[in-house]
Amino acid sequence: MFSPMCLRFPWLSPPFISPSTSRSVVLRSLLTGHKFRQLFSSRRRIKFSQGSIKFLQTSCRISVPGVPVRETQPPSNFLKDKKVVPQADPPSAEDINHLYQLIDQSTKLVVLTGAGISTECGIPDYRSPNGAYSSGFKPITHQEFVRSIRARRRYWARSYAGWRQFTAAQPGAAHVALASLEQAGRINFMITQNVDRLHHRAGSNPLELHGTVYSVICLDCGFSFCRNLFQDEVKALNPKWAAAIESLDYGNAGSDKSFGMKQRPDGDIEIDEKFWEEDFHIPTCHKCNGVLKPDVVFFGDNVPKERADKAMEVARECDAFLVLGSSVMTMSAFRLVRAAHEAGASTAIVNIGKTRADEFVSLKVNARLGEILPRVLNTGSLSIPALH
């Protein structure tokens, strides 16, 4: 079902483990009174209120006020057919209250987002119960891409074919909510593991830890340029092949109706090898005729030092570190939340399923980001209007 050769981030940990609990919130200790507050060091600013809170369960979907549905949700049929978003109970009042307190009481909040925030926009992930890894998929490695022209041809042919679908995805309610928090000064710094630029389209400008597929870079001289220009060059070099791909009936963004196509989180797409095995031609660098690759971190490669250092700096200096939609299984992400925890910051995760940091984070919420974040925006003293 899934292509064995596709761009992805440097996964450095065991495969994702499906959640075994149905509770919508998981805390490392009792979530009330003195014992929970003991989890925070003297540097930590976040304290959660005492007393009992009744759970508020609802079966409706929550949207951001003032934001058209078409801008915040992927096509309903697509999500139904692809089962991209893992199942989760609606967020409880307790979930919302604790997340609100963390944001409201922080003065140097750092947010790290992962693939889970984009699944609600129709872009599949890898590690969730419905993700690519669940069927034995293995991503392309940096070494494989560099040494094998066949691997590069396969990657670029499939990536070209999937580009139209990939770029059709729209920012979701969670992206818009985060952009609103940023604009209101509630987020000090944002980091994303995603390469899809949906944060940018919602109005944010996060540090892209793993790069972006919207840029192409030369492995030989370092020259980089816009991915759309690369797409045009591919089309010019492969007119018949490009015409065949573009004539396919894609349907909604992410549809896999034609030829059993399967969309990947990074824009790659499963397609019959007869389209790329021999006749597909790859553009070369404009300046040195070198090998071109997407400006992302492949498995087996490292995050550029300057980028990694900046992410570590803000993690160590924050008073609260919030992970959204990531299992933090990659070391590049896990080391950040661990560093924040060790420096005394409050740490929290909102993610469907288990994460690598569950053993030490102070707060863990199991919920869809598009349902909980818009509600947090309308809670207490935040009351932040969503961006239009």
Side-chain angles (χ1 to χ4, degrees):
M1 176 179 178
F2 287 92
S3 163
M5 295 200 178
C6 166
L7 167 162
R8 194 46 178 168
F9 312 142
W11 304 112
L12 301 177
S13 297
F16 180 89
I17 303 173
S18 298
S20 59
T21 176
S22 61
R23 289 294 302 274
S24 62
V25 62
V26 182
L27 301 178
R28 298 274 39 94
S29 183
L30 296 175
L31 195 57
T32 56
H34 179 67
K35 287 187 177 181
F36 178 71
R37 290 196 301 274
Q38 279 185 328
L39 291 173
F40 298 97
S41 70
S42 59
R43 282 188 56 190
R44 294 183 180 176
R45 300 173 180 270
I46 315 304
K47 293 183 179 180
F48 295 93
S49 60
Q50 300 185 41
S52 61
I53 303 177
K54 294 182 179 180
F55 281 81
L56 173 65
Q57 299 290 349
T58 174
S59 60
C60 67
R61 289 296 182 86
I62 307 300
S63 60
V64 181
V67 179
V69 172
R70 67 178 182 275
E71 295 295 329
T72 61
Q73 296 181 7
S76 58
N77 289 339
F78 168 48
L79 290 181
K80 179 180 179 181
D81 295 339
K82 294 280 291 184
K83 299 181 179 179
V84 170
V85 186
Q87 293 296 317
D89 292 335
S92 68
E94 189 176 18
D95 298 335
I96 297 166
N97 182 62
H98 288 308
L99 190 55
Y100 156 73
Q101 289 185 50
L102 180 132
I103 295 172
D104 187 49
Q105 297 180 32
S106 171
T107 60
K108 296 181 69 175
L109 174 65
V110 171
V111 173
L112 170 69
T113 68
I117 196 171
S118 293
T119 57
E120 296 175 36
C121 307
I123 297 179
D125 68 350
Y126 286 116
R127 293 185 179 276
S128 75
N130 300 327
Y133 282 174
S134 66
S135 64
F137 161 76
K138 293 182 179 180
I140 191 172
T141 67
H142 177 80
Q143 295 76 13
E144 189 177 17
F145 185 92
V146 169
R147 68 170 177 253
S148 170
I149 180 62
R150 186 175 188 273
R152 292 195 296 273
R153 186 180 289 123
R154 179 188 298 188
Y155 170 76
W156 279 125
R158 293 177 175 183
S159 186
Y160 175 85
W163 186 246
R164 183 167 64 179
Q165 293 174 284
F166 186 74
T167 57
Q170 297 295 317
H175 294 94
V176 175
L178 289 176
S180 299
L181 285 168
E182 270 193 310
Q183 190 173 78
R186 294 288 186 163
I187 296 176
N188 186 56
F189 198 88
M190 189 187 301
I191 305 167
T192 186
Q193 297 173 263
N194 300 335
V195 300
D196 53 39
R197 287 264 164 108
L198 289 179
H199 281 300
H200 295 75
R201 294 169 69 179
S204 299
N205 187 30
L207 175 69
E208 295 173 306
L209 192 64
H210 295 144
T212 176
V213 291
Y214 279 81
S215 295
V216 176
I217 190 169
C218 176
L219 291 175
D220 297 313
C221 72
F223 174 71
S224 64
F225 61 101
C226 176
R227 173 63 182 270
N228 286 332
L229 295 177
F230 180 87
Q231 291 291 113
D232 292 340
E233 292 181 14
V234 171
K235 183 175 181 178
L237 289 173
N238 306 275
K240 292 183 179 180
W241 186 90
I245 291 297
E246 292 175 4
S247 67
L248 294 176
D249 178 18
Y250 283 107
N252 291 328
S255 172
D256 61 357
K257 290 171 60 179
S258 302
F259 295 93
M261 286 188 171
K262 310 292 182 184
Q263 180 73 56
R264 304 281 178 238
D266 45 37
D268 185 21
I269 195 168
E270 178 73 33
I271 190 170
D272 196 298
E273 66 181 57
K274 67 182 179 181
F275 284 98
W276 56 261
E277 181 65 32
E278 296 179 356
D279 297 330
F280 183 79
H281 303 286
I282 307 172
T284 56
C285 177
H286 302 166
K287 294 193 173 182
C288 73
N289 205 39
V291 174
L292 298 174
K293 71 178 285 290
D295 192 9
V296 297
V297 178
F298 282 112
F299 178 89
D301 198 5
N302 297 314
V303 175
K305 186 178 186 305
E306 181 179 355
R307 196 185 304 164
D309 289 347
K310 178 61 178 177
M312 181 58 69
E313 177 187 347
V314 297
R316 287 173 173 164
E317 293 179 354
C318 70
D319 64 3
F321 194 97
L322 175 60
V323 178
L324 299 174
S326 175
S327 59
V328 291
M329 289 296 184
T330 66
M331 181 55 71
S332 57
F334 174 73
R335 64 196 291 265
L336 297 178
V337 64
R338 182 178 62 186
H341 168 74
E342 292 174 348
S346 304
T347 53
I349 296 177
V350 182
N351 186 65
I352 301 177
K354 294 184 178 180
T355 82
R356 191 175 183 177
D358 283 354
E359 293 303 316
F360 63 79
V361 295
S362 307
L363 173 68
K364 171 68 186 304
V365 176
N366 201 77
R368 292 184 177 182
L369 298 172
E371 294 182 341
I372 191 170
L373 289 181
R375 295 176 69 177
V376 170
L377 255 63
N378 294 322
T379 302
S381 63
L382 289 182
S383 298
I384 298 171
L387 295 174
H388 289 262

